[in-house]
Amino acid sequence: MFAVIKTGGRQYRVVPDDVLEVGKIEGEVGSIVQLTEVLVVGGDTPILGLPTVAGASVAVEVLDHKRGPKVIAFKKRRRKNSRRKRGYRDEITVLRISEILTDNAKPTKGPRPKREKVVKEPAKEEADAA
C-alpha cells in the first residue's frame, strides 16, 4: 500500500517505513504526527482524492529537526562597485512513515524505541599487565 501526501507545497509518494526529509513541521522528536493531506491511497484498488481523500491520513514519527545545506545568493553589478551576498539554510524535519490510515482511523503504532549504544569495556589483559 502506498500514499501520495502533500506537505510544505510538495508532494511525496510514501510507503510504510520510508524515511524522508520535508519542510519543517510541528512536533517533538520521537512523537507521532498525523498528516491529513492525502491525495492518493494506492494498493489493489487505488482511491483518488478530489482534491484529498476523505478520512485518510498518514501517521509519521518525527526523527529529527535539522537545517539543510547552505544556499548562497550572490549578485554583482560589474563596474559599479556593487555586490550583495546573502545566504540561508532551510529548516528540515526528518520523518519515518509509520502507517497509512483510512476511514478516520487512529494510529495504532507508537514511536520506535531508541537503540542503546554499546559501550566496550577495556580488556582485562591491560589491567593484568600493570
Side-chain angles (χ1 to χ4, degrees):
M1 178 180 250
F2 72 93
V4 176
I5 61 172
K6 181 179 175 184
T7 180
R10 296 184 178 164
Q11 297 175 6
Y12 302 93
R13 181 186 185 275
V14 296
V15 295
D17 293 328
D18 268 358
V19 175
L20 65 140
E21 295 180 349
V22 300
K24 184 169 178 149
I25 61 172
E26 295 299 320
E28 295 292 322
V29 173
S31 65
I32 297 291
V33 177
Q34 278 189 283
L35 303 176
T36 57
E37 273 195 277
V38 179
L39 306 175
V40 176
V41 175
D44 296 334
T45 58
I47 303 168
L48 299 176
L50 297 171
T52 60
V53 179
S57 64
V58 175
V60 297
E61 177 184 356
V62 178
L63 299 179
D64 192 17
H65 293 292
K66 63 180 187 176
R67 297 179 75 192
K70 185 178 284 188
V71 177
I72 297 174
F74 184 78
K75 295 182 179 180
K76 180 180 179 189
R77 294 164 193 91
R78 63 187 187 151
R79 298 186 300 273
K80 303 283 193 276
N81 196 20
S82 170
R83 60 177 123 194
R84 182 173 72 193
K85 180 179 179 183
R86 299 179 65 184
Y88 74 96
R89 296 176 70 182
D90 282 333
E91 299 288 329
I92 293 176
T93 301
V94 181
L95 304 173
R96 178 184 291 123
I97 307 300
S98 297
E99 52 190 334
I100 298 169
L101 306 165
T102 56
D103 301 327
N104 294 324
K106 299 289 181 196
T108 58
K109 297 179 184 177
R112 292 185 181 178
K114 290 188 176 182
R115 291 188 200 171
E116 297 293 328
K117 291 186 178 181
V118 177
V119 179
K120 294 183 181 179
E121 295 186 21
K124 294 282 185 175
E125 299 169 8
E126 294 175 10
D128 293 338

